[in-house]
Amino acid sequence: AATAPRIASTRLALHHFDTSYSLHLGALWPSVRAGLLCEQKYGALLNNFAAADHVPQELELLNATDFISEASQKAQQWQRVGAAGEAARGCQEGSGEGRTVMQAEIMTQAETSPLFSASISSKIKCYTFPRGDITRFRPARPDALGLLDYYLMDAASLLPVLALNVQPDDFVLDLCAAPGGKSLALLQTGICGHLAANDVSVSRTKRLYQILHSYVPKEVRDTVSVTSYDGRDWDQVKGGTFHKVLVDVPCTTDRHSAMEEDNNIFHKRRTKERQMLPMLQLQLLMAGILAAKPGGEVVYSTCSLSPLQNECVVERALDIEEDTFKINCRLGELVLPHLAANFGPMYFCKLRR
């Protein structure tokens, strides 16, 4: 062990991904692999609480666009295309039963996907540069009251927030909230009745406090409770309380693992921790389901492509909740990693309790 050459954690991670994801994703893997190894691109989440009306125009002059409004427009186009295809086929064949799989997928995505909820997309705005443009956003600037004008984050991190589809006066739980980007995005909707932002790490919770003070006025911060409980025990603290629960679990963080040696979970000293991730994720998801009210909704998300951390965790949690707690959860929209290819690998699914 003393004389053997040290293998970089990033190299170990990439070897693991090549072995497992090439089987899981097949022909998609080369392009996804290239995305993992590209420089990370950030989005600028506009702060609705700051007096910064000039920022959208400033960003548009740099050729950045609001990807959420663009996605909403594309959804409407898909819906029209799907409806037109359905009508044309009905005229030709006397019914719509023979429509193609592609048309069915278009209709399903346009009609059921929570990503394009008008109530959400009209309030959350996140600007990104076009594909292939790696321009950097300038640092955020404070307004007259000291609130920063936008928050830089991975644009893919907004997708689970949009999927949560918060409604007016919802009680919302962000079970693994730090460093705080998703909690901040939830507050940008302006309709949370109460937000509980929790993270087991006290040091990361301090970062969450800093973000709230930098971006959110006091009267809105008063509607947020920040805690440092172990998320696995949340149901023992406030079970059956929330309309919406976001469970964005710790994971292998594939892009970071393939690119950064610092704090890399593929380091040999963290092998056991990595192997135990699916169990931790399962416990967190089960706690999130138990924290939701009957009829409430839970979004489970990771920034990993691993089926063991995604589909397997969700399927096992549903089985346990039904067998042990007699809770029936319905699996809602399921977005596979490659569907978010423009923003980097990520996974989320939506459950209704």
Side-chain angles (χ1 to χ4, degrees):
T3 58
R6 179 175 175 270
I7 301 176
S9 301
T10 51
R11 184 177 170 188
L12 289 173
L14 198 56
H15 174 72
H16 173 81
F17 298 155
D18 282 333
T19 303
S20 57
Y21 294 165
S22 60
L23 295 175
H24 175 53
L25 296 175
L28 287 170
W29 171 236
S31 60
V32 174
R33 188 184 195 273
L36 276 177
L37 297 176
C38 285
E39 183 177 356
Q40 186 172 8
K41 287 180 63 174
Y42 287 90
L45 173 66
L46 294 193
N47 185 12
N48 294 329
F49 304 114
D53 295 338
H54 64 284
V55 174
Q57 183 178 5
E58 175 188 329
L59 296 178
E60 287 166 8
L61 288 173
L62 296 174
N63 203 28
T65 56
D66 175 20
F67 88 84
I68 298 174
S69 62
E70 283 187 338
S72 181
Q73 292 169 7
K74 288 179 181 177
Q76 293 171 7
Q77 292 171 0
W78 288 343
Q79 197 166 19
R80 288 195 295 270
V81 169
E86 177 73 13
R89 186 167 294 276
C91 290
Q92 292 172 358
E93 302 181 5
S95 75
E97 294 177 358
R99 67 183 179 184
T100 65
V101 173
M102 182 175 293
Q103 287 172 329
E105 289 176 347
I106 288 172
M107 293 286 284
T108 299
Q109 291 178 15
E111 290 174 359
T112 66
S113 175
L115 294 180
F116 309 119
S117 169
S119 63
I120 297 297
S121 60
S122 62
K123 297 177 176 65
I124 297 182
K125 297 185 182 300
C126 184
Y127 281 78
T128 58
F129 290 108
R131 196 170 189 174
D133 184 344
I134 58 172
T135 302
R136 296 275 184 163
F137 289 99
R138 63 162 172 78
R141 296 170 182 162
D143 66 0
L145 298 177
L147 298 177
L148 297 178
D149 53 7
Y150 56 64
Y151 178 78
L152 296 180
M153 64 188 301
D154 190 325
S157 296
L158 277 178
L159 301 182
V161 173
L162 297 172
L164 204 57
N165 196 21
V166 177
Q167 299 299 306
D169 300 323
D170 273 354
F171 274 48
V172 183
L173 169 62
D174 188 353
L175 191 62
C176 308
K182 294 181 181 67
S183 290
L184 179 61
L186 286 165
L187 293 174
Q188 296 301 313
T189 66
I191 55 178
C192 287
H194 177 77
L195 174 63
N198 177 75
D199 198 276
V200 67
S201 169
V202 175
S203 60
R204 285 165 59 87
T205 302
K206 290 179 180 178
R207 170 63 177 155
L208 174 57
Y209 272 115
Q210 292 173 355
I211 288 177
L212 291 176
H213 279 80
S214 298
Y215 289 88
V216 181
K218 184 179 184 305
E219 60 271 19
V220 178
R221 292 201 305 270
D222 290 342
T223 68
V224 182
S225 59
V226 179
T227 55
S228 295
Y229 297 118
D230 186 330
R232 294 172 290 185
D233 301 326
W234 187 270
D235 62 295
Q236 300 175 22
V237 181
K238 292 182 180 180
T241 305
F242 298 92
H243 300 95
K244 303 290 172 67
V245 179
L246 177 59
V247 186
D248 183 57
V249 294
C251 65
T252 49
T253 320
D254 291 355
R255 185 196 294 275
H256 177 88
S257 295
M259 297 286 285
E260 301 288 341
E261 282 295 312
D262 183 47
N263 197 32
N264 194 311
I265 199 166
F266 280 86
H267 193 285
K268 290 186 176 180
R269 288 197 298 265
R270 302 183 69 183
T271 300
K272 186 174 182 179
E273 178 187 352
R274 188 176 74 251
Q275 291 172 342
M276 292 301 293
L277 271 177
M279 178 58 70
L280 171 63
Q281 293 160 345
L282 174 62
Q283 293 170 330
L284 288 168
L285 177 54
M286 290 171 57
I289 293 172
L290 292 172
K293 291 174 175 285
E297 296 181 344
V298 179
V299 168
Y300 173 82
S301 63
T302 77
C303 45
S304 170
L305 297 165
S306 169
L308 291 176
Q309 300 176 61
N310 296 318
E311 294 95 329
C312 294
V313 169
V314 173
E315 291 167 3
R316 183 61 179 148
L318 294 181
D319 289 342
I320 293 175
E321 295 289 2
E322 185 170 359
D323 294 342
T324 305
F325 300 100
K326 308 304 178 186
I327 294 175
N328 183 31
C329 291
R330 178 170 57 84
L331 184 63
E333 296 80 6
L334 179 67
V335 177
L336 297 176
H338 58 276
L339 296 182
N342 285 343
F343 305 108
M346 73 94 53
Y347 171 102
F348 70 85
C349 77
K350 187 171 184 177
L351 310 169
R352 178 182 287 275
R353 174 172 171 175

